[in-house]
Amino acid sequence: MGIVIEGLSHVYMAGTPFAHTALQDVSLRMEAGSFIGIVGPTGSGKSTLIQLIAGLLRPTQGRVRVFDAVLDPETKNRKPFRKWVSVVFQYPEHQLFEETVAKDIAFGPRNLGLSPEEVEQRVEQAMAWAGLPSELADLSPFHLSGGQMRRVALAGVLAMQPRVLILDEPTAGLDPRGQRELLETIRQIQREQKMTVIMVSHSMEEISRHAERMFVMHRGRLVAEGTPEQVFAHGTRLREWGLEVPEWIVLAEELNRNLHPPLPQGIRREEDLASSLLARWKEGKSG
Amino acid sequence: MAPIVEVHEVFYHYFPEKTPRSQWALQGVNLRIDPGEYVAVMGPNGSGKSTLAKLLNGLLLPTEGCVRVMGKDTRNAEDLWEIRRQVGMVFQNPDNQIVGATVRDDVAFGMENLGVPRAEMLRRIPEVLSQMGLAGREEDSPHHLSGGQKQRLAIAGILAMKPAVILFDESTSMLDPAGRDDVMQAIQDLHRQGTTVVHITHSAREASLADRLVVMAEGRVQMQGAPGEVFRQGERLRDWDLEPPLIYRLQEQLQKQGMPLTGTASDTKELVNELWGLLSKG
Ligand SMILES: Nc1ncnc2c1ncn2[C@@H]1O[C@H](COP(=O)(O)OP(=O)(O)OP(=O)(O)O)[C@@H](O)[C@H]1O
Ligand SMILES: Nc1ncnc2c1ncn2[C@@H]1O[C@H](COP(=O)(O)OP(=O)(O)OP(=O)(O)O)[C@@H](O)[C@H]1O
Ligand SMILES: [Mg+2]
Ligand SMILES: [Mg+2]
């Protein structure tokens, strides 16, 4: 098992009048090498959870195990977490600091002790993965558009080739093509490098297309988990948890009100809807 | 009707001396926005959307060409204060916008700068906070809010200032569905009350709610029109790395495969009706 979380709670500013319980008694398991989705409404504890997995926060209660490193309220040494787990934050612009795009991306790999040639190769590779044109390499990262900055922060993390890659809303701010391509690339890297990917997203579309397993957070608690099909089968509960049902599922449900027999179950992506509609239409023509 | 915002042959670059003109961020933008109009702007990363937005409220001044707001040229220093007062902007990254030590102070800050009377401030603060789902968080430090909550706070601060024009620069990108609905609701309420709205977004579904959709690419306005008209040109949109919303994509795909759809449906209901007709014939 890759990541095991048991009875995890986190209270911000514990012991002050501002104490705020962001995570309450969460237990879950994530298999090594899988693509995991985390969803939930604003303030439900998603970012808190991933910061704990990355060893950036200390749990108030419970424990996190990532491979053979353990983090609990007493843990002093959080280094193994930093080494294995990399996070692309929700506003990754804050992660940028070097003079040029290339130097910024090179920072992580250089700290891993790689040779200059290897570092350069990693930078080139990571820029391509993140969809950054090579002309941008020598510009200041602060002279880029919002979407371009996001790609630089992503490239910096991809260049580290971590064992666990955590992405907090990785496609926010990217144009539609950028969104699609980035996730396809991450999916491919995940498979090739057997990387564990944990993605926080508000887009059920992205989750249903890419995640093998998903976890639903609500008010600091884990309220559901399973494959996207299993979770989407909860129907009206989804809306109670503040989730959005993917558009094509809404369309399929709407169509099914007047189609006998209904369209087949398990429509996971837009293409599935199009092909089942076509099949149905051809059947009708010939039958 | 005189336009409320007028952009005439605007060229802009951050370092015009060092950069060849062909790489400038804006390369001859023309745009007129009528009072009360609701305009969505889409375009690939780096196409100049945020740059254009900053020119509209005088935060940046054109390298060439001119921008007028309510007839006032943004290059006139003495009009700039009034222009910024009339054109509110919600930035792409809310951290650039949040200044107060508490949620309440943050909302009050902008109004104080405008000299809004205290009684009026006390009335507006709870109104905008509850509109953006932040009631009960008045005393919290903005730094203790989650990403989506910060974005809501940034929007509340601008709403409280009641500008004539509001520019939303990807203000929904970090929000959950409820947050996005709140912002889209706020945009539509503002529009109904006569506020001019410019909404920069990567979401085709959000853009489809506007009166007019403007597509920016390579520093220019490349397409514009009613959202439905623009979305029916899937091929051209894809040239600019954009995509129409699901119902348009689906119609395009099904038609290509020979299904005799009219291709004119512009919402889920129309498409579902048409599909029922076709599929129940068999
Ligand atoms: N540094 C902090 N100090 C105090 N409270 C915090 C801090 N960070 C987050 N919180 C609170 O903890 C709760 C969970 O926040 P978290 O950032 O984990 O939410 P999230 O699920 O990531 O939300 P979003 O989708 O908006 O990013 C929220 O109510 C938030 O206000
Ligand atoms: N502060 C800056 N200094 C120098 N160049 C900049 C700056 N901000 C943006 N640019 C450049 O200007 C061009 C347009 O950027 P802009 O931010 O307007 O794009 P955008 O359409 O808003 O993109 P996004 O969808 O990524 O937010 C880009 O090529 C970018 O690299
Ligand atoms: Mg978060
Ligand atoms: Mg921008």
Side-chain angles (χ1 to χ4, degrees):
Chain A
M1 209 23 104
I3 298 172
V4 180
I5 291 175
E6 285 163 342
L8 190 65
S9 298
H10 187 79
V11 181
Y12 284 105
M13 293 178 291
T16 75
F18 302 104
H20 187 102
T21 305
L23 217 57
Q24 215 170 350
D25 195 21
V26 171
S27 298
L28 55 82
R29 285 158 174 264
M30 297 171 178
E31 206 173 311
S34 59
F35 197 122
I36 304 286
I38 299 182
V39 303
T42 191
S44 59
K46 305 178 298 293
S47 296
T48 305
L49 176 62
I50 60 174
Q51 288 180 71
L52 285 158
I53 298 175
L56 297 169
L57 288 175
R58 204 190 298 274
T60 309
Q61 251 176 51
R63 50 187 234 145
V64 180
R65 192 161 65 75
V66 177
F67 305 115
D68 41 20
V70 174
L71 179 70
D72 62 28
E74 272 75 52
T75 308
K76 296 265 155 23
N77 179 14
R78 289 186 272 175
K79 272 214 193 95
F81 286 83
R82 307 272 165 79
K83 198 168 113 203
W84 292 335
V85 187
S86 291
V87 189
V88 181
F89 289 102
Q90 213 165 352
Y91 291 103
E93 295 81 304
H94 301 311
Q95 280 173 278
L96 306 176
F97 55 93
E98 288 276 7
E99 287 154 51
T100 71
V101 165
K103 282 188 191 163
D104 209 292
I105 301 169
F107 180 81
R110 212 180 309 122
N111 276 2
L112 295 178
L114 301 177
S115 71
E117 297 77 53
E118 279 174 299
V119 170
E120 200 180 319
Q121 202 196 331
R122 290 255 185 128
V123 171
E124 247 172 60
Q125 168 82 86
M127 285 187 69
W129 276 337
L132 282 165
S134 50
E135 300 94 87
L136 297 182
D138 298 322
L139 295 185
S140 157
F142 301 102
H143 294 164
L144 299 178
S145 77
Q148 290 164 339
M149 283 192 205
R150 229 150 218 279
R151 290 170 196 250
V152 175
L154 271 160
V157 167
L158 290 175
M160 309 259 285
Q161 304 187 354
R163 287 175 78 179
V164 179
L165 173 65
I166 303 183
L167 305 157
D168 201 347
E169 301 266 345
T171 59
L174 297 192
D175 54 53
R177 170 151 169 215
Q179 297 180 8
R180 203 183 51 234
E181 290 183 350
L182 181 83
L183 290 179
E184 281 164 9
T185 309
I186 288 174
R187 197 69 209 278
Q188 191 193 334
I189 307 172
Q190 175 236 346
R191 291 206 189 105
E192 283 170 14
Q193 321 246 344
K194 312 258 182 299
M195 200 187 265
T196 309
V197 176
I198 304 173
M199 172 168 84
V200 174
S201 175
H202 288 305
S203 162
M204 295 306 124
E205 209 167 312
E206 290 177 352
I207 296 277
S208 71
R209 194 178 281 275
H210 297 288
E212 291 157 292
R213 225 179 151 66
M214 65 187 281
F215 295 96
V216 183
M217 300 297 301
H218 188 244
R219 300 196 176 153
R221 293 178 184 275
L222 178 67
V223 291
E225 65 173 287
T227 62
E229 283 94 339
Q230 288 166 338
V231 172
F232 294 143
H234 284 289
T236 53
R237 299 282 298 279
L238 294 175
R239 293 181 178 96
E240 278 165 38
W241 295 327
L243 302 184
E244 187 176 48
V245 184
E247 243 186 312
W248 56 87
I249 295 188
V250 174
L251 195 69
E253 281 172 357
E254 192 57 28
L255 279 164
N256 278 342
R257 290 200 299 123
N258 224 342
L259 281 184
H260 311 285
L263 296 170
Q265 292 284 306
I267 292 185
R268 185 156 173 176
R269 36 190 87 171
E270 178 182 337
E271 301 88 283
D272 302 342
L273 175 60
S275 53
S276 60
L277 286 172
L278 274 169
R280 178 62 75 88
W281 173 65
K282 285 185 181 144
E283 236 171 71
K285 260 201 329 185
S286 60
Chain B
M1 187 167 29
I4 191 162
V5 172
E6 200 178 358
V7 180
H8 181 71
E9 278 301 309
V10 165
F11 286 75
Y12 181 82
H13 201 69
Y14 294 84
F15 309 105
E17 305 81 19
K18 290 199 291 185
T19 317
R21 214 176 142 89
S22 64
Q23 286 170 28
W24 284 13
L26 296 183
Q27 308 193 23
V29 175
N30 289 294
L31 187 67
R32 290 161 60 102
I33 299 173
D34 289 330
E37 206 184 354
Y38 171 11
V39 176
V41 181
M42 295 185 76
N45 291 138
S47 57
K49 305 179 298 296
S50 298
T51 304
L52 175 63
K54 288 178 200 150
L55 280 148
L56 297 186
N57 78 344
L59 217 53
L60 298 176
L61 299 177
T63 313
E64 287 172 23
C66 79
V67 174
R68 280 197 209 91
V69 175
M70 299 170 146
K72 296 189 171 75
D73 193 319
T74 57
R75 287 171 304 184
N76 289 337
E78 62 273 23
D79 290 333
L80 208 50
W81 194 82
E82 179 61 15
I83 289 174
R84 294 215 180 124
R85 194 178 113 89
Q86 295 296 348
V87 185
M89 167 140 166
V90 184
F91 287 93
Q92 200 161 353
N93 179 344
D95 285 347
N96 295 340
Q97 189 143 7
I98 290 172
V99 290
T102 65
V103 166
R104 174 184 289 121
D105 287 354
D106 195 75
V107 175
F109 181 81
M111 288 191 282
E112 266 162 14
N113 277 351
L114 296 183
V116 175
R118 195 172 156 72
E120 176 64 14
M121 276 175 46
L122 292 178
R123 206 182 56 72
R124 286 190 204 170
I125 291 173
E127 182 185 304
V128 294
L129 286 179
S130 79
Q131 194 175 351
M132 292 322 301
L134 287 172
R137 303 297 298 250
E138 290 80 1
E139 301 305 327
D140 288 355
S141 156
H143 301 290
H144 297 160
L145 297 178
S146 75
Q149 289 162 344
K150 280 184 196 163
Q151 213 162 17
R152 289 163 179 250
L153 175 59
I155 295 170
I158 299 295
L159 292 184
M161 289 158 68
K162 299 198 184 291
V165 182
I166 304 192
L167 313 171
F168 291 90
D169 193 354
E170 293 187 38
S171 311
T172 55
S173 60
M174 289 289 168
L175 297 177
D176 61 349
R180 254 177 285 149
D181 288 351
D182 288 350
V183 173
M184 294 314 294
Q185 193 58 54
I187 287 181
Q188 280 161 90
D189 290 348
L190 287 165
H191 173 50
R192 212 167 310 116
Q193 293 155 13
T195 306
T196 307
V197 177
V198 178
H199 183 198
I200 299 173
T201 177
H202 288 298
S203 160
R205 195 147 44 116
E206 288 175 7
S208 67
L209 297 171
D211 298 331
R212 176 157 56 119
L213 170 57
V214 170
V215 175
M216 293 272 303
E218 297 180 350
R220 268 191 223 111
V221 173
Q222 304 283 359
M223 299 167 80
Q224 59 176 316
E229 270 167 47
V230 174
F231 289 144
R232 269 184 267 279
Q233 306 175 53
E235 290 302 319
R236 278 188 74 196
L237 282 171
R238 277 181 208 104
D239 284 346
W240 306 118
D241 297 348
L242 304 176
E243 260 169 20
L246 176 72
I247 55 161
Y248 296 90
R249 294 199 296 268
L250 206 58
Q251 290 179 79
E252 198 185 309
Q253 234 174 321
L254 294 174
Q255 278 183 322
K256 242 186 232 158
Q257 304 284 329
M259 216 161 142
L261 286 165
T262 60
T264 56
S266 56
D267 60 34
T268 308
K269 202 169 150 234
E270 286 175 20
L271 180 59
V272 164
N273 276 329
E274 214 179 309
L275 284 168
W276 276 340
L278 277 173
L279 297 180
S280 56
K281 269 190 197 133

